[in-house]
Amino acid sequence: MEDPAVANPAQPDYPQHWEADILLRDGGTARIRPITPDDAGRLVEFYGQVSDQSKYFRFFAPYPRLSDKDVRRFTHHDFVNRVGLAVVVRDRFIATVRYDRIDAEGRPSETGTDAEVAFLVQDAHQGRGVASALLEHIAAVAQERGIRRFQAEVLPENRKMVKVFTDAGYTQHRSFADGVVHLEFDLEQTDRSLAVMRAREHRAEARSVQRLLTPRSVAVIGVSRTPQTVGRAILRDLLGDEAPADRPVYAVNRNAAPGTELDGVPVHRSILDIPGPVDLAVIAVPEGAVPAAVAECGAHGVQGLVVVTAGYAETGPEGRDRQRALVRQARAAGMRVIGPNAFGLINTDPGRPLNASLAPRLPGRGGFGIFCQSGAIGVALLEASHKRGLGVSSFASVGNRSDVSGNDFLQYWAEDEATQVVLLYLESFGNPRKFTRIARRLAAVKPVVVVKGARHTGSLPPGHAVPATATGLRDATVDALFEQAGVIRVSTITELYDTGELLAQQPLPPGNRVAVVGNSDSLGLLTYDALLSAGLRPCTPVDLTTAATGENFRIALDVALADPAVDAVIAVAIPPIGTSAHAFMGGRLTGEDDPAMGSDDPEIAAALLEAGGRARELGKPLLLTHLALTDLPVRLRPGGIPAYAAPERAVHALAHAVHYAQWRRRTAAAEETARVPELDRIDEPGARRLVEAALSTRAAVAARTQPGGARITLSEAEAQELLARYGIDVSPVRPAPDEEAAVAAAAALAYPVALKATAPHLRHRPDLGSVRLDLTDEAGLRRAHRELDALLGGAAQAELVVQRMAPRGVDTVIAATVDPAVGAILSFGLAGAPAELLGDTAHRLVPATDQDVAGLIREVRAAPLLFGWRGAESVDTDALEELLLRVSQLVDDVPEIASVDLEPVVVAPHGLAILGARVRVAPLPVRSDLGPRAMSTL
């Protein structure tokens, strides 16, 4: 099916990449695209529906209709000096914008860097944020075409348009003359304009999810007479006991006879036959019938779709094409899509409950917001919450995640007061960089706990809408994203709920000091060991003996909680020994169960509940680990005390809570103290010129046509010159193709020197004998040269070089790599095979602050080597942190830099030396995360 919102221009230079789907302020969708000559009819129709006042505001005079000359002028563009964009919904224009390049005198120009810009928004769509979105996109287009500033003239009474310009956050100049407001603003992004754009994105995405979760009416398309079918099951779920009486639910079956009813609901042959509005439609028809159903939903004004139908991207390339067509079709009609291949949506709000899913019952109300991509995992998550007695605020299992994603739900949960903890099961990322940005903001106020499936490259589940750049996202990179965003990563569904339950029901621990109190010395010791292994600081366990009573527990817990040296308390409990055999494990080992006997001591439960109240008052979490006490966890639920059947589970949950609390405190402090320091010896224009020159060479241009793009490795001299522009000095090397050249190089550099091979297959391989160090005179240098020449098959093949010896220190590796899916990542580790084998590398996102780099060098397991391990002298970590900041600033300022590798960096007690450097550059992608708001087009 052809998408009517996509233009079919005749001109070969039509800028296809300017097309974008957008979310408007109210959560509806629209499409922005260039205006072409084929749009003449749409333009005339659009202008006819604009009020006289809006026309007057646009042209400063009565202008009832467009002449043929006007129509031609507004539909014929060269996409360089004259550009027009339109916002399209259901194949109709609802807004337009145009710029015309001008010179310094305001005349049409082909070389000027200014442009006049003007908007026109249909009255029915004003107030939806249409003009704001258009401004972002036309500004990006203009910058791409070399325009640096917009000018606009607005009548003072056109307050809405003046507000669009002034609220955008660009650097502005404003004047008033001859009854007209004249505005000039630079198009370079500012911190404020970026913040404005992000805030608008947040509101629009949150609102779009809210509309899906709180529909005023719902239709199920594909309801069958057979009770076991998917459509019929969802209809019954929507009509459950909790369903609000004032929300209409409709059934649709194209083959239904007139007067048919199912489950007490009249069945319509088409959604177009339904007399009232429909906000949400659940589509459960065969894949071949979906396009027609979507078209009818669009024509009826439906706001959102839940597509449970399978047969899309999970089936292969043809299915992926069908999936993309489905999303384009829905967005063109202003609708968002959950699915396809979705399990469904749930909202437990008692005012507007919704079960538009395959779950047979609505979960209990609670504080967990749950998102997953797998229907099977969704069932497991709902079942686990039910068994644990934990409630859900809202739930989404989105299947192939073609449109609505986890990012959208994170935006919604940030605003939803009912959601206290967010639980995610993710198998892939559609936009990892955006996920990190949104999750970081959310995690500052609410915990986000994630199970990340498909950890290994190549195990991406079929059907997931993922850009090619994100399919090979390394697990270490994912860990770095989660760490910097404050996201808690766990390994299993059990651990997900263990951690979520603690975070939802107990205060965040103020530190990592843990008291262990209970009636089992053995269980206490196991808990103590687990705490040490988790990096926490346990106090010596307090053993109350197996004869402990509830009063003993109460006193001991009071003492532990009141201790200022304790930040959290783990109670350990086993069944009392020496009591009736039937009381032990409910009698299952030694006889039949006695219903009159429990598996615990109610007095101990009462003591724990009482202590739980005091723990909350003191801001210290209290949790329980137990063995063979099946009733005790149930008794503790009203008090919100988590109970775990193994000490390792309790400790893992507490360790996650401690780490998260530390991140919260560190992040809050960083808001006040962290900074990106002003560094000297920074020459950004000079660095840009060097990179532009490298990318303009014939070799670079040729490389752009090769598979994988155009990553160009700079020569050694080019890399050193570029790095020097940012105060990064690489120790110079001189080629030594023969003995005489080696001797001359050493004389120029001064002894002592090193002689080493730099051929790619020998670089950083001292284990192959390719390096000779501490050569203090000519004789030693000549001897070393002859040895390496014989060992490595010739000096020329080994690419021997001479370099001045660096001071003794610790060899480290610094790298900055631009991942297209994530952005620039700064990495640090110690040099050498052991660190490589163990993966002992730490990562941070760029730009890095002073606190980021300080944490980076202390995060690797081998960090003690930097700080005087075994009596050695500490190295100059201040110089190391400054170097990391310089590398971070370089790749942030010059986005064409694809990677920087510094190896080895020898950090001495005073100063450091960079002995090797490699830099690769690449052309900028057309769009980036800093560009205008646009929905994914995977």
Side-chain angles (χ1 to χ4, degrees), residues 440-445 483-486 508 659-675 849-852:
R440 181 180 176 88
R441 186 181 66 243
L442 176 58
V445 292
E483 172 68 26
Q484 203 148 349
L508 290 178
H659 186 72
Y660 171 66
Q662 290 171 339
W663 179 88
R664 286 263 295 254
R665 291 190 293 270
R666 190 167 61 246
T667 301
E671 293 289 335
E672 303 294 330
T673 61
R675 61 191 182 93
T849 67
D850 54 353
Q851 294 187 12
D852 287 331

Side-chain angles (χ1 to χ4, degrees), residues 63 163 177 244 347 378 404 439 489 586 601 631 633 756 766 845 905 914:
Y63 216 90
K163 185 174 175 60
N347 182 10
V404 177
R489 183 174 189 174
D601 183 342
D631 293 339
K756 61 183 181 181
L845 298 181
V905 178
I914 304 169

Side-chain angles (χ1 to χ4, degrees), residues 70-293:
D70 290 330
V71 172
R72 178 175 177 79
R73 181 163 67 95
F74 291 137
T75 57
H76 287 68
H77 306 96
D78 62 7
F79 302 127
V80 178
N81 304 310
R82 299 178 307 282
V83 173
L85 302 179
V87 180
V88 187
V89 175
R90 299 188 183 95
D91 199 28
R92 290 183 170 86
F93 284 7
I94 65 169
T96 62
V97 65
R98 174 186 170 95
Y99 81 65
D100 292 88
R101 190 190 299 265
I102 58 175
D103 60 18
E105 283 72 40
R107 295 172 300 196
S109 170
E110 294 185 359
T111 60
T113 58
D114 282 22
E116 288 182 338
V117 65
F119 295 78
L120 186 59
V121 180
Q122 209 171 78
D123 295 65
H125 295 277
Q126 292 178 9
R128 300 183 68 197
V130 177
S132 299
L134 265 180
L135 178 57
E136 291 175 18
H137 282 262
I138 196 70
V141 166
Q143 282 189 293
E144 185 180 324
R145 296 311 195 202
I147 291 170
R148 298 291 175 257
R149 184 171 59 178
F150 272 163
Q151 298 184 24
E153 292 189 341
V154 186
L155 292 174
E157 56 266 38
N158 191 359
R159 298 185 186 90
K160 290 182 180 178
M161 188 52 62
V162 172
K163 185 174 175 60
V164 168
F165 290 124
T166 57
D167 286 355
Y170 296 105
T171 302
Q172 295 187 11
H173 307 281
R174 183 173 177 176
S175 60
F176 181 79
D178 300 326
V180 174
V181 177
H182 184 80
L183 294 165
E184 296 181 1
F185 50 96
D186 300 331
L187 300 184
E188 189 72 28
Q189 285 278 15
T190 67
D191 289 343
R192 181 168 177 264
S193 67
L194 192 59
V196 168
M197 187 167 65
R198 297 295 185 237
R200 289 170 174 167
E201 172 192 72
H202 169 72
R203 289 194 298 268
E205 292 176 354
R207 175 59 180 149
S208 73
V209 172
Q210 183 186 39
R211 296 204 315 178
L212 290 167
L213 289 171
T214 57
R216 294 164 297 180
S217 54
V218 185
V220 183
I221 303 174
V223 175
S224 168
R225 288 182 175 275
T226 306
Q228 292 78 23
T229 56
V230 169
R232 188 71 176 277
I234 292 176
L235 179 66
R236 287 195 300 270
D237 295 340
L238 285 165
L239 296 169
D241 295 338
E242 302 90 349
D246 61 344
R247 183 177 63 211
V249 176
Y250 303 102
V252 176
N253 185 319
R254 190 168 295 279
N255 300 315
T260 301
E261 286 193 3
L262 292 173
D263 296 316
V265 176
V267 182
H268 301 272
R269 294 175 63 87
S270 166
I271 196 170
L272 297 174
D273 298 334
I274 295 174
V278 175
D279 287 347
L280 179 68
V282 181
I283 296 180
V285 299
E287 178 272 320
V290 170

Side-chain angles (χ1 to χ4, degrees), residues 207-500:
R207 175 59 180 149
S208 73
V209 172
Q210 183 186 39
R211 296 204 315 178
L212 290 167
L213 289 171
T214 57
R216 294 164 297 180
S217 54
V218 185
V220 183
I221 303 174
V223 175
S224 168
R225 288 182 175 275
T226 306
Q228 292 78 23
T229 56
V230 169
R232 188 71 176 277
I234 292 176
L235 179 66
R236 287 195 300 270
D237 295 340
L238 285 165
L239 296 169
D241 295 338
E242 302 90 349
D246 61 344
R247 183 177 63 211
V249 176
Y250 303 102
V252 176
N253 185 319
R254 190 168 295 279
N255 300 315
T260 301
E261 286 193 3
L262 292 173
D263 296 316
V265 176
V267 182
H268 301 272
R269 294 175 63 87
S270 166
I271 196 170
L272 297 174
D273 298 334
I274 295 174
V278 175
D279 287 347
L280 179 68
V282 181
I283 296 180
V285 299
E287 178 272 320
V290 170
V294 173
E296 292 182 354
C297 287
H300 196 66
V302 173
Q303 296 178 353
L305 306 174
V306 176
V307 182
V308 299
T309 304
Y312 286 88
E314 76 277 8
T315 65
E318 292 183 2
R320 185 173 296 280
D321 290 341
R322 290 193 298 270
Q323 183 168 299
R324 288 171 176 155
L326 163 66
V327 174
R328 286 197 301 269
Q329 183 186 9
R331 288 178 178 174
M335 299 181 291
R336 299 219 67 183
V337 179
I338 297 284
N341 196 23
F343 184 80
L345 279 177
I346 291 175
N347 182 10
T348 64
D349 182 351
R352 305 296 296 175
L354 173 74
N355 186 6
S357 79
L358 293 168
R361 59 177 177 268
L362 197 70
R365 181 67 167 170
F368 287 108
I370 302 175
F371 176 91
C372 65
Q373 296 168 217
S374 160
I377 296 297
V379 172
L381 290 171
L382 290 174
E383 185 66 21
S385 84
H386 174 71
K387 287 183 176 179
R388 289 174 178 245
L390 302 173
V392 174
S393 62
S394 49
F395 165 91
S397 179
V398 300
N400 293 4
R401 202 204 62 227
S402 63
D403 177 26
V404 177
S405 71
N407 289 342
D408 296 296
F409 274 87
L410 291 179
Q411 301 276 38
Y412 169 74
W413 284 321
E415 301 295 322
D416 181 35
E417 294 182 357
T419 300
Q420 299 171 320
V421 177
V422 171
L423 305 181
L424 306 176
Y425 173 77
L426 301 178
E427 293 171 343
S428 61
F429 291 99
N431 188 336
R433 192 182 319 196
K434 182 175 178 180
F435 171 85
T436 305
R437 171 167 50 84
I438 297 171
R440 181 180 176 88
R441 186 181 66 243
L442 176 58
V445 292
K446 299 179 183 180
V448 179
V449 191
V450 176
V451 174
K452 173 66 172 67
R455 297 173 67 107
H456 305 291
T457 302
S459 60
L460 187 68
H464 284 225
V466 176
T469 54
T471 55
L473 206 60
R474 295 181 305 160
D475 206 51
T477 302
V478 174
D479 276 336
L481 295 179
F482 288 166
E483 172 68 26
Q484 203 148 349
V487 171
I488 303 166
R489 183 174 189 174
V490 298
S491 300
T492 65
I493 299 299
T494 299
E495 192 178 0
L496 181 79
Y497 269 107
D498 284 348
T499 306

Side-chain angles (χ1 to χ4, degrees), residues 32-51:
I32 290 180
R33 64 167 175 82
I35 298 173
T36 71
D38 292 341
D39 291 319
R42 294 184 182 90
L43 181 67
V44 171
E45 179 191 27
F46 158 72
Y47 194 77
Q49 296 178 352
V50 174
S51 70

